[in-house]
């Protein structure tokens, strides 16, 4: 068994896909109209057949309290692996991305936490 | 307020929280919890750390700062100066029992 799909709730799919592709650097994989919304997934260009990330509309009433509470406490529910957290931090900050946690060494890993502008905090991580 | 400062400082976890905030001001609860567990092996729940922060806030040693949807915690050393003044600079002492 492998992880095929994970999802983040986004308040605006078009804005989200721009952030996840133009800023973070993922690649659009599926973009299928589903009534008002789209089945919209992105993948890593380094692993196009790998786990897909679904940009899931956040309209369900449970989503906003969940996101609000996590963001207030700085909790990232999703984590992306990068080669160098500090390099990504500088690259993304130059693009205007807001970080709630600057790069921090925690034993064998370095992490940082950014705001994806669609409702979520995302952790970046690399291992030494 | 002075009583609250002594109470806040009496707990080792709360002293560690202040240590970490001195190292980097303006942390989220998530960052503080990660630092406490990796730097000091303090594996308390987020709720427990949140309660420790509330004690530090009541003593004025930590100032919560809301910025849009985020909440950051800043250290505030001013209450400590009153304690220092009381014994090290008695002329400037606060009138506390």
């Amino acid at each position: 068994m492998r992880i095929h799909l994970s999802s983040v709730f986004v308040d605006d799919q078009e804005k989200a896909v721009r952030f996840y592709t133009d800023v973070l650097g993922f690649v659009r994989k599926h973009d299928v109209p589903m009534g008002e919304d789209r089945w919209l997934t992105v993948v890593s260009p380094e692993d196009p057949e790998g786990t897909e990330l679904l940009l899931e509309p956040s309209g369900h009433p449970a989503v906003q309290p969940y996101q609000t509470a996590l963001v207030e406490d700085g909790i990232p529910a999703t984590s992306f692996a990068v080669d160098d957290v500090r390099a990504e931090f500088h690259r993304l900050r130059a693009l205007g991305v807001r970080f709630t946690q600057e790069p921090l060494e925690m034993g064998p890993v370095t992490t940082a936490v950014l705001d994806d502008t669609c409702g979520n905090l995302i952790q970046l991580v690399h291992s030494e | 307020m002075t009583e609250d400062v002594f109470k806040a400082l009496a707990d080792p976890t709360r002293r560690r929280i202040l240590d970490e905030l001195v190292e980097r001001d303006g942390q989220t609860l998530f960052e503080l919890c990660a630092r406490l567990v990796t730097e000091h092996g303090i594996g308390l729940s987020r709720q427990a750390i949140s309660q420790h922060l509330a004690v530090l806030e009541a003593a004025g040693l930590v100032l919560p700062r809301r910025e849009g949807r985020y909440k950051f915690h800043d250290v505030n050393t001013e209450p400590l100066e009153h304690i220092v003044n009381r014994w090290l600079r008695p002329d400037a002492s606060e009138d506390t029992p």
Side-chain angles (χ1 to χ4, degrees), chain A residues 8-10 20 67 71 114-122, chain B residues 69:
Chain A
V8 290
F9 291 108
V10 300
Y20 277 80
Q67 285 188 325
V71 169
L114 62 87
D115 187 326
D116 77 351
T117 71
C118 328
N120 310 285
L121 297 181
I122 303 288
Chain B
R69 302 156 63 223

Side-chain angles (χ1 to χ4, degrees), chain B residues 2-97:
Chain B
T2 309
E3 283 299 312
D4 290 343
V5 173
F6 287 118
K7 182 188 164 201
L9 295 174
D11 181 274
T13 299
R14 292 197 284 270
R15 295 197 296 271
R16 288 300 185 200
I17 290 173
L18 292 178
D19 289 341
E20 294 303 319
L21 286 176
V22 166
E23 192 166 305
R24 179 152 88 202
D25 220 7
Q27 293 185 41
T28 63
L29 178 62
F30 177 78
E31 179 174 358
L32 267 174
C33 291
R35 284 169 170 261
L36 290 169
V37 74
T38 53
E39 305 286 325
H40 308 290
I42 299 172
L44 296 172
S45 69
R46 290 196 179 111
Q47 288 77 5
I49 301 301
S50 200
Q51 284 165 9
H52 281 306
L53 278 170
V55 176
L56 289 164
E57 287 170 19
L61 290 164
V62 166
L63 302 178
R65 169 165 53 88
R66 284 186 183 277
E67 204 175 297
R69 302 156 63 223
Y70 321 123
K71 185 180 178 191
F72 298 105
H73 302 89
D74 296 326
V75 68
N76 177 38
T77 54
E78 199 187 327
L80 299 175
E81 289 169 18
H82 297 303
I83 294 172
V84 169
N85 283 341
R86 175 168 172 172
W87 286 293
L88 295 187
R89 294 194 286 277
D91 289 347
S93 114
E94 293 285 301
D95 187 17
T96 53

Side-chain angles (χ1 to χ4, degrees), chain A:
Chain A
M1 202 177 291
R2 292 173 293 122
I3 298 175
H4 166 64
L5 178 85
S6 185
S7 59
V8 290
F9 291 108
V10 300
D11 58 11
D12 178 329
Q13 284 189 303
E14 187 52 39
K15 182 180 68 173
V17 76
R18 283 201 306 271
F19 184 84
Y20 277 80
T21 58
D22 295 349
V23 179
L24 294 185
F26 291 114
V27 179
R28 196 184 302 233
K29 176 119 183 187
H30 293 295
D31 191 348
V32 182
M34 302 270 283
E36 287 183 11
D37 301 317
R38 294 142 72 181
W39 180 260
L40 182 53
T41 70
V42 296
V43 289
S44 168
E46 298 159 37
D47 189 15
E49 301 307 314
T51 307
E52 295 175 42
L53 184 71
L54 174 66
L55 305 176
E56 167 92 20
S58 61
H60 190 283
V63 174
Q64 199 173 348
Y66 162 83
Q67 285 188 325
T68 300
L70 291 190
V71 169
E72 171 167 309
D73 283 340
I75 298 171
T78 302
S79 181
F80 298 142
V82 296
D83 291 334
D84 181 338
V85 166
R86 279 171 209 287
E88 283 292 335
F89 168 73
H90 290 299
R91 179 183 80 84
L92 293 170
R93 199 173 55 171
L95 292 172
V97 175
R98 174 68 202 266
F99 280 77
T100 62
Q101 183 208 294
E102 296 191 2
L104 175 66
E105 284 177 31
M106 306 193 322
V109 299
T110 300
T111 66
V113 179
L114 62 87
D115 187 326
D116 77 351
T117 71
C118 328
N120 310 285
L121 297 181
I122 303 288
Q123 180 167 269
L124 302 182
V125 62
H126 77 246
S127 300
E128 295 305 333

